[in-house]
Amino acid sequence: MDYKVKDIGLAEKGEKLVRWAEQHMPVLMSIRKEFKKEKPLQGIRIAACLHVTKETAVLIETLKKGGAMVALTGSNPLSTNDGVAAYLAKNGIHVYAWRGNHDKYYWCIEQALKIKPHVTMDDGGDLITTLHTRKQALIKDVIGGTEETTTGVNRQRAMEKNGILQYPIIAVNDAMTKYLFDNRYGTGQSSIDGILRATSILLAGKKFVIAGYGWCGRGLAMRARGMGAHVIITEVDEIRALEATMDGFDVMKMERAAGIGDIFVTVTGNKHVIDAKHLKKMKDGAIVANSGHFDNEINVEWLEKNAVKKEEIRKNVTEYTLKDGRKIYLLAEGRLVNLAAAEGHPSEVMDMSFSNQALAVKWLVANDGKLKNKVYKVPDEIDREVARRKLASMGIEIDKLTKKQIEYMRGWKEGT
Ligand code: ADE
């Protein structure tokens, strides 16, 4: 059994976390029960590059119950829970992940690929890009892959557009039961959680600047407002900017917000959204964090070059003292603050995201050979099944259309 984790002795600690997550992931657990009986993934080898969290462990164990052999690597150097990694390694998963594996990040991906996957699972696309660049010989065995996040789906759509995508991908991110809940309520809550665990500051009354009003930005804005912060949105998209305005937030250019904000969070999926010119304008004591997938949303290199002093003042808080004496506080190296400084999205939303993952893999395997080298949506039936099961797990019943209502909706004659 091959694996590389920080300390296998942490397995018991990890197991407790995983049991806690299972308790809050009823939909995925119901799928696990079916997988155990039906074995839809018998003989399938899966290489996954996901944040190694307690929720991911629930997914991985479900895939294993379905008959799959799984290799797992982390999708960010700071998002691995070492206890969870140890627990999985002890239970037959080829895990190559530990918190702080910056220098060995791609080595870990390459180890996971040694399984010769039939299915790839990405969160951000680093595994699939490794396969398409340095490990092309392995592609012949691949049936398809899944992608968890917006950034990854963007990358894979670019691969499709450039004609280099060599197997079908299911964009799990684009399922409604994923982005409407995980991106919005998950990122909203867990980013606040990360900022508070790292800083322990009061949010009430603070000027809280959010770059990006996609689903993650919307959720974060909603939650920051709920904590009493004065929320400012920066956007490049006119429709989203208008939406943020009518949702009651102040919308302005980052150049202006830079001089006003107490806390800044980027959730755009784009590069250097907080750049040198913004950092130069920030107030003494400004706190800067990122909740987008990659650590390039903030120009950290500028801080590194221009600081006269750098000190880790608290766990996950780096104090940069600039030449003019101002101090800027960067959280979690500018990496996903919700995962690096907290535990990522809560289990209840990952329940839906990862149920889509599990059912998407089953669907991919069942449709082996029938799909093109394209990015596919999660089939609507899977998306709705996840919603139905989630509602049932919450004890919520909803109405059904009557026959008359169905006929009415299909008709056109009945009017005023
Ligand atoms: N992405 C965001 N939160 C996560 C979590 N809890 N587990 C896995 N991936 C995540």
Side-chain angles (χ1 to χ4, degrees):
M1 190 47 227
D2 192 40
Y3 61 81
K4 176 116 180 65
V5 298
K6 185 163 193 175
D7 176 3
I8 197 74
L10 296 171
E12 207 179 309
K13 218 171 154 190
E15 180 172 7
K16 287 183 182 153
L17 290 171
V18 176
R19 297 288 91 86
W20 181 253
E22 283 175 351
Q23 199 64 33
H24 298 94
M25 301 178 83
V27 179
L28 189 54
M29 292 303 277
S30 72
I31 293 167
R32 178 184 290 185
K33 222 169 158 184
E34 292 161 12
F35 273 24
K36 200 173 156 194
K37 240 199 268 160
E38 297 161 13
K39 301 280 178 207
L41 308 179
Q42 194 63 52
I44 296 295
R45 297 186 299 268
I46 301 175
C49 179
L50 302 171
H51 301 296
V52 182
T53 64
K54 57 192 188 304
E55 291 78 20
T56 297
V58 182
L59 170 65
I60 299 297
E61 292 205 308
T62 300
L63 300 172
K64 193 176 160 214
K65 287 277 186 326
M69 182 182 180
V70 188
L72 174 66
T73 178
S75 56
N76 188 295
L78 287 186
S79 64
T80 295
N81 181 299
D82 289 317
V84 170
Y87 163 73
L88 285 171
K90 217 172 167 183
N91 284 281
I93 307 300
H94 302 273
V95 186
Y96 307 93
W98 60 94
R99 185 182 164 100
N101 70 340
H102 301 67
D103 301 341
K104 292 273 192 245
Y105 180 78
Y106 278 100
W107 178 86
C108 287
I109 288 182
E110 286 174 15
Q111 301 314 300
L113 285 173
K114 283 189 177 161
I115 199 173
K116 296 192 176 147
H118 299 114
V119 173
T120 63
M121 258 186 181
D122 262 289
D123 186 330
D126 288 339
L127 187 90
I128 183 174
T129 48
T130 303
L131 260 181
H132 279 71
T133 50
R134 296 193 309 283
K135 297 285 169 188
Q136 290 178 5
L138 295 173
I139 291 182
K140 62 179 187 327
D141 289 334
V142 181
I143 295 169
T146 64
E147 173 55 59
E148 172 72 10
T149 201
T150 318
T151 295
V153 172
N154 286 344
R155 290 177 90 186
Q156 287 133 30
R157 289 225 163 92
M159 289 167 83
E160 181 189 331
K161 214 168 167 193
N162 289 319
I164 62 143
L165 185 65
Q166 289 184 50
Y167 57 83
I169 294 292
I170 311 287
V172 168
N173 179 73
D174 295 358
M176 286 180 287
T177 47
K178 198 280 182 181
Y179 68 83
L180 288 176
F181 306 96
D182 170 314
N183 300 28
R184 181 166 39 172
Y185 302 113
T187 307
Q189 179 170 316
S190 63
S191 302
I192 299 276
D193 188 9
I195 292 165
L196 294 185
R197 287 195 207 193
T199 64
S200 163
I201 56 161
L202 179 74
L203 289 186
K206 294 286 195 306
K207 301 268 193 262
F208 195 106
V209 181
I210 300 169
Y213 204 64
W215 288 108
C216 297
R218 288 178 182 108
L220 182 53
M222 197 196 302
R223 292 298 175 252
R225 174 152 68 187
M227 297 288 282
H230 182 104
V231 178
I232 297 168
I233 304 293
T234 72
E235 247 303 341
V236 290
D237 182 291
E238 49 277 64
I239 310 280
R240 287 179 174 180
L242 197 55
E243 186 187 352
T245 304
M246 298 218 184
D247 283 346
F249 300 111
D250 280 346
V251 176
M252 62 183 77
K253 284 184 162 193
M254 180 58 89
E255 247 175 284
R256 200 171 137 224
I260 298 173
D262 299 303
I263 305 156
F264 295 81
V265 187
T266 51
V267 264
T268 68
N270 219 322
K271 208 176 159 175
H272 290 184
V273 176
I274 294 185
D275 212 344
K277 64 180 177 191
H278 307 126
L279 292 163
K280 281 179 191 165
K281 281 197 177 158
M282 284 184 190
K283 297 192 291 195
D284 178 37
I287 294 168
V288 185
N290 166 53
S291 257
H293 185 78
F294 286 119
D295 63 335
N296 56 3
E297 301 210 13
I298 301 161
N299 188 348
V300 177
E301 305 86 72
W302 185 87
L303 280 175
E304 288 283 328
K305 265 194 217 140
N306 288 277
V308 291
K309 193 172 159 225
K310 173 186 170 186
E311 189 180 358
E312 189 180 32
I313 192 140
R314 294 166 56 89
K315 190 165 181 232
N316 291 313
V317 184
T318 305
E319 181 186 75
Y320 287 92
T321 307
L322 300 171
K323 285 174 198 131
D324 58 11
R326 279 179 309 127
K327 293 180 195 305
I328 305 273
Y329 294 95
L330 178 69
L331 306 191
E333 303 173 7
R335 296 179 189 276
L336 286 155
V337 72
N338 58 337
L339 281 143
E343 292 176 63
H345 301 350
S347 308
E348 290 87 340
V349 289
M350 295 314 294
D351 188 24
M352 289 187 275
S353 311
F354 284 167
S355 292
N356 276 293
Q357 283 280 8
L359 295 176
V361 172
K362 178 180 165 183
W363 187 82
L364 262 179
V365 171
N367 285 281
D368 182 13
K370 295 187 203 148
L371 304 172
K372 297 199 178 104
N373 297 343
K374 278 176 35 177
V375 177
Y376 286 86
K377 288 187 107 173
V378 171
D380 195 54
E381 186 43 43
I382 291 181
D383 208 350
R384 290 188 180 276
E385 179 61 21
V386 171
R388 280 192 290 270
R389 290 193 196 200
K390 190 71 181 175
L391 283 169
S393 78
M394 297 164 92
I396 296 168
E397 290 182 315
I398 60 169
D399 291 326
K400 258 199 171 117
L401 290 174
T402 62
K403 246 187 182 164
K404 270 192 183 159
Q405 286 173 324
I406 294 171
E407 273 165 29
Y408 177 74
M409 293 304 287
R410 285 184 185 149
W412 56 272
K413 285 187 182 152
E414 210 178 313
T416 313

